[in-house]
Amino acid sequence: MNQDRMQNNTIKSKGEEIIALANTVRWDLGIDFHDSIIESIYEDASLIAKKTVQQTGEKEAYSFDLKIDKIVTSKWLGFPLMFLMLTVVFWLTVAGANYPSGLLASLLIDTMHPILKGFAASVNMPWWLDGVLIDGAYLSMAWVIAVMLPPMAIFFPIFTLLEDLGYLPRVAFNMDSLFRKAGAHGKQALTMSMGFGCNAAGVVAARVIDSPRERLIAIITNNFSLCNGRWPTQILIASIFMGSLVPAGMAGIVSAGAVVAIALLGIFFSLVVSWVLSKSVLKGEASSFSLELPPYRPPRVLQTLYTSLIDRTIIVLWRAVVFAVPAGVFIWLVANIHMGDLSIAEHFIQWSNPFAIIFGLNGVILLAYIIAIPANEIVIPTILMLTVLSAKLTGVGAGSGVMFELDSLSDTANVLHAGGWTLLTAVNLMLFSLLHNPCSTTIMTIYKETKSAKWTLVSTFLPIVLGFIVTFFTTQIWLLFH
C-alpha cells in the first residue's frame, strides 16, 4: 500500500510539473497564438473554395493547376497527350541509351573479354573451363549489364520525375474508366506504366492497390507491358523487316510505328485478360477509390536520382545479373556438349522445328526463349549464336556457345535470312516477345508478392498460351494470302 501511495504521489508531482511547463511555454507563444491558427485554417479553406467552387454567374477563379488538368485529363486530348508523353519517354530512353550501351559493350565485351581469354590461355586453363566461365558466365553478365543498365538508368528517373511532377496520377485518372470496365483498379495504370521499365518493378508497384483481388489482376497482367529487356528485340526486328518494306526515308517512321503498335497491343491484352480474370477465377466488384490529384510541383531531382538509381535500377540489375550468370553457363553447355554429331542445342532445334513452324517461328527462337529466361536482354545474342550454329555459317560470331551481336543491321539481317527468317517469322517474333513468360527475376518477384505457387504459375504460363494462340492465328491468316 505504501509503495502504491508513493508511486501515485510521484505521478501526481510529474503531472503538475508538466502542466506548469505547458503554462509557461503557452505564454511564450504569444497571446494571439490561438487566433493565428484559426485564421490560417480559414484562409486555406477560402483558397480551396475559390479554386473548386463556382457560384452561378461568377467568373471562374483562375488556377494554373486547373487549367493544365483541363488539358491533360480532357476527354479528347488526355489519351493522345498520354501516348505522346509515353513515346517521348521511350524515345529518350532508347536514343539516350545507345551511346552508353555502346561504351559498356566496348569495355565489357570488346576489351575485357579478350583480356580474360588471354589470361585463361596464359595459365593454361582447360578449354571447357575457359568456355563455361568466360564465354558463358562472363559474357552473359556483360550483355545484361551493357544492354540493361543504360535504359534503366534513363527510364526510371524520367518516370519518377513524372510521378514527382504530378502527371502520373493524371494518367491513372485517364485510364480509370477503362480498367474499371475491365473489372480492375484504376491504379493498375500506374503499375502497367512502371512495367514498361521493368516488369519486376511493376509487380512491386502493385502494392499501391489495396484490394487483394485487383492487386493480383495487376500482377498477373503486368507482363503485357513491354519491359526494357524487350525493347531492343522489338526495335531491331522492326528496323530490319518492317523498315525494309518502305523507301529508306519512311523506314524509321514505319519501324517506330510497328513497335508502338506492339506496345498498344500489350495494353489491349492487359485490359482483355483483366476483364476475363475479373469475370471468372477472380470474380468480384471493382472497388471504388477516391483519387486526389496532387498539385503540380517542381520535381526533387537529387532525391529522384537517388531513389531511381539505388532503389530501382541497381537492385533490379543485380537480380538480373544473378540469374543471367547460370543462364550463360547453360547456354554454353547446350551448344558445346555433343550427342553424336550434333550438340544438344542442335538436337533440340531439329526436334522442335516442325512444332515451331506451326506458329510461324522456328526451333532457334523457342530454344532462345527457354534458355534466356533469366533476362530478355540476351535473347537476340542467343538467337544469333544459335542461328550460326544450326545453319553452319562460317566466319560469323566467336564460336559455339559464344553470344554475340553484329554492328550493322544488314549483317544481322544476313544472318537471320540465312537461318530461314521471313517477314512472318519477324512479325510472330515481335508478338511472341510481347506474349511469353516473364523473366526469372519477375517470376521470383511475383512469388514474393503473392506468396502463392499457383498464381505464380498462372502468371508464368498464361502469357505463353496466349502467345501460341495469337501466333498460330497470325500464321494461318498469313498462309491464306500467300
Side-chain angles (χ1 to χ4, degrees):
M1 288 292 290
N2 289 335
Q3 189 175 2
D4 291 343
R5 192 177 295 116
M6 289 176 64
Q7 284 182 344
N8 289 334
N9 289 336
T10 303
I11 293 172
K12 185 178 179 182
S13 173
K14 290 286 184 186
E16 290 173 349
E17 288 179 12
I18 293 172
I19 292 172
L21 179 63
N23 283 331
T24 304
V25 174
R26 159 74 179 81
W27 292 109
D28 290 343
L29 293 173
I31 59 175
D32 58 347
F33 173 68
H34 182 265
D35 293 339
S36 299
I37 291 179
I38 298 300
E39 283 177 7
S40 67
I41 291 173
Y42 274 92
E43 188 176 349
D44 289 343
S46 174
L47 287 174
I48 293 171
K50 284 180 181 176
K51 288 183 179 179
T52 55
V53 179
Q54 184 180 3
Q55 300 288 342
T56 305
E58 282 186 354
K59 187 179 179 181
E60 185 180 353
Y62 176 78
S63 168
F64 186 64
D65 288 4
L66 288 177
K67 296 291 182 188
I68 298 178
D69 279 346
K70 281 191 174 180
I71 298 173
V72 299
T73 61
S74 158
K75 183 178 179 181
W76 302 108
L77 293 176
F79 276 91
L81 286 174
M82 203 166 62
F83 291 131
L84 179 63
M85 183 73 74
L86 193 65
T87 304
V88 170
V89 171
F90 290 152
W91 179 80
L92 287 173
T93 302
V94 173
N98 280 338
Y99 185 67
S101 280
L103 286 179
L104 282 173
S106 176
L107 173 65
L108 298 175
I109 297 168
D110 298 338
T111 304
M112 285 302 297
H113 183 247
I115 291 175
L116 292 174
K117 295 289 284 185
F119 172 76
S122 67
V123 298
N124 295 320
M125 185 179 289
W127 69 271
W128 58 269
L129 188 58
D130 170 291
V132 166
L133 294 180
I134 301 175
D135 294 335
Y138 174 77
L139 268 188
S140 178
M141 179 193 70
W143 276 116
V144 168
I145 293 175
V147 177
M148 194 171 179
L149 177 58
M152 283 201 307
I154 296 172
F155 179 84
F156 284 143
I158 294 177
F159 193 86
T160 311
L161 285 173
L162 288 175
E163 185 179 12
D164 214 21
L165 182 67
Y167 179 69
L168 290 190
R170 274 76 183 178
V171 172
F173 179 83
N174 289 336
M175 298 288 290
D176 176 50
S177 61
L178 286 177
F179 280 105
R180 195 171 63 249
K181 288 175 183 173
H185 199 285
K187 288 181 182 175
Q188 189 171 322
L190 296 179
T191 67
M192 183 190 70
S193 302
M194 182 64 82
F196 283 121
C198 171
N199 293 134
V203 169
V204 174
R207 292 176 185 175
V208 299
I209 301 174
D210 296 325
S211 161
R213 183 187 72 86
E214 290 163 329
R215 190 188 315 136
L216 191 53
I217 292 175
I219 289 173
I220 293 172
T221 58
N222 195 267
N223 190 53
F224 298 122
S225 296
L226 279 176
C227 64
N228 267 331
R230 289 181 276 177
W231 288 108
T233 302
Q234 297 285 343
I235 294 168
L236 177 70
I237 300 302
S239 300
I240 291 176
F241 288 93
M242 314 303 166
S244 64
L245 297 176
V246 295
M250 297 285 292
I253 296 174
V254 171
S255 303
V259 176
V260 172
I262 293 291
L264 295 179
L265 191 62
I267 297 174
F268 170 75
F269 275 111
S270 182
L271 290 168
V272 170
V273 174
S274 295
W275 182 82
V276 172
L277 289 172
S278 68
K279 299 297 179 187
S280 54
V281 291
L282 291 173
K283 188 180 292 185
E285 292 295 326
S287 63
S288 60
F289 78 106
S290 56
L291 178 63
E292 182 181 352
L293 296 180
Y296 294 99
R297 61 192 176 207
R300 295 158 291 184
V301 178
L302 293 179
Q303 183 178 337
T304 297
L305 287 176
Y306 176 83
T307 304
S308 304
L309 292 177
I310 303 300
D311 291 353
R312 293 177 182 171
T313 305
I314 299 300
I315 291 176
V316 173
L317 179 66
W318 172 247
R319 286 181 186 172
V321 168
V322 167
F323 284 107
V325 168
V329 172
F330 186 72
I331 290 170
W332 189 89
L333 289 175
V334 297
N336 284 280
I337 295 178
H338 286 71
M339 298 172 64
D341 295 333
L342 300 176
S343 65
I344 294 176
E346 290 171 290
H347 276 293
F348 181 88
I349 292 168
Q350 289 191 1
W351 171 78
S352 62
N353 258 333
F355 169 77
I357 288 172
I358 298 173
F359 303 97
L361 302 169
N362 58 44
V364 165
I365 295 173
L366 292 188
L367 181 57
Y369 272 98
I370 291 173
I371 60 182
I373 187 174
N376 288 296
E377 288 78 3
I378 59 176
V379 164
I380 287 297
T382 305
I383 283 177
L384 290 175
M385 182 273 289
L386 291 174
T387 301
V388 169
L389 179 70
S390 60
K392 307 294 183 188
L393 301 179
T394 57
V396 184
S400 179
V402 184
M403 292 178 285
F404 69 94
E405 279 193 339
L406 296 165
D407 293 334
S408 72
L409 286 179
S410 59
D411 290 343
T412 306
N414 289 336
V415 171
L416 296 179
H417 286 307
W421 284 51
T422 64
L423 180 60
L424 174 65
T425 316
V427 170
N428 280 345
L429 175 66
M430 292 179 74
L431 291 170
F432 197 70
S433 174
L434 172 70
L435 303 170
H436 77 284
N437 56 280
C439 69
S440 54
T441 305
T442 304
I443 294 173
M444 179 61 70
T445 306
I446 291 171
Y447 181 73
K448 285 184 176 178
E449 293 296 312
T450 62
K451 308 292 183 190
S452 166
K454 171 190 166 185
W455 291 116
T456 304
L457 289 173
V458 170
S459 305
T460 302
F461 288 101
L462 177 63
I464 300 177
V465 172
L466 271 176
F468 281 126
I469 292 174
V470 169
T471 52
F472 174 79
F473 281 106
T474 305
T475 305
Q476 301 314 307
I477 293 170
W478 174 276
L479 293 176
L480 281 177
F481 295 96
H482 291 81

